Amino acid sequence: MLLCPCQSQQTYTNCCEPFHTNSQQAQTPEQLMRSRYSAYALTLSQYIFDTYHSDKQAGLSLSELEEWAKATTWLKLEVSKTSDTTVTFIATYAENRKLYKIGEHSRFEQEQINQQKVWRYVDGDILNHQALDRPKRNDPCPCGSMKKLKQCCGVKSKLI
Ligand SMILES: [Zn+2]
Ligand SMILES: [Zn+2]
């Protein structure tokens, strides 16, 4: 039973998978944002591309999205605030054996696609983006599991 990478505490099957497989559409900006976070965690770059607003897609490169998703290990997501069209969140990720925290205020819009109204990501303001001290093997894992780094995300994040 795979828990969803978006840390909803639900199984992947009951959370972001139906969006990734296109069997359901996200009903709220938060659902879409979570599914995009999970898609980064699972390197589903086509999904990340497809869920950008159509106005933005021309300026995107699928291979760059893929490279970024591959280079990063997404460890933690905290959604701090939502409105009808926005989501504010803090995400923690590892890249190149370093740990980072990024806060973003994201904007979403509904678009009409195949006779359906679907939520799409427009853009976001980065609120902060900082490098954190690299945790040691026996420190608590930055994913928030309460386990030690070495017993949790240490290997997959390449932090140890
Ligand atoms: Zn999820
Ligand atoms: Zn962990």
Side-chain angles (χ1 to χ4, degrees), residues 12-155:
Y12 177 52
T13 319
N14 286 330
C15 189
C16 293
E17 189 178 35
F19 308 133
H20 293 165
T21 56
N22 246 320
S23 56
Q24 273 179 43
Q25 293 292 336
Q27 297 298 305
T28 62
E30 182 178 352
Q31 276 185 346
L32 186 73
M33 184 271 140
R34 287 181 167 278
S35 73
R36 286 172 48 85
Y37 173 92
S38 295
Y40 274 108
L42 300 169
T43 322
L44 302 173
S45 38
Q46 187 68 53
Y47 183 83
I48 298 164
F49 183 92
D50 291 343
T51 51
Y52 269 94
H53 195 281
S54 57
D55 291 351
K56 303 282 171 180
Q57 290 183 356
L60 294 170
S61 144
L62 185 61
S63 60
E64 276 173 31
L65 289 175
E66 173 122 4
E67 270 173 42
W68 165 245
K70 273 190 184 152
T72 48
T73 305
W74 294 82
L75 296 172
K76 190 172 186 186
L77 174 64
E78 298 155 276
V79 173
S80 53
K81 209 173 160 195
T82 61
S83 77
D84 290 349
T85 56
T86 65
V87 180
T88 309
F89 66 90
I90 299 172
T92 307
Y93 68 95
E95 183 184 13
N96 267 329
R97 302 176 64 84
K98 289 199 183 89
L99 189 64
Y100 298 90
K101 216 172 203 187
I102 186 166
E104 189 182 302
H105 179 72
S106 301
R107 279 180 286 276
F108 299 83
E109 264 179 35
Q110 282 187 307
E111 279 198 278
Q112 191 80 28
I113 293 174
N114 298 330
Q115 282 123 35
Q116 269 194 99
K117 266 193 176 170
V118 298
W119 283 105
R120 291 290 183 249
Y121 171 66
V122 181
D123 59 13
D125 300 322
I126 305 294
L127 306 176
N128 59 32
H129 194 181
Q130 61 185 124
L132 303 176
D133 287 339
R134 183 149 138 214
K136 298 186 178 65
R137 300 171 58 81
N138 289 316
D139 285 349
C141 189
C143 78
S145 66
M146 314 290 277
K147 289 185 204 161
K148 292 177 179 176
L149 176 65
K150 67 178 180 188
Q151 290 158 346
C152 193
C153 305
V155 173

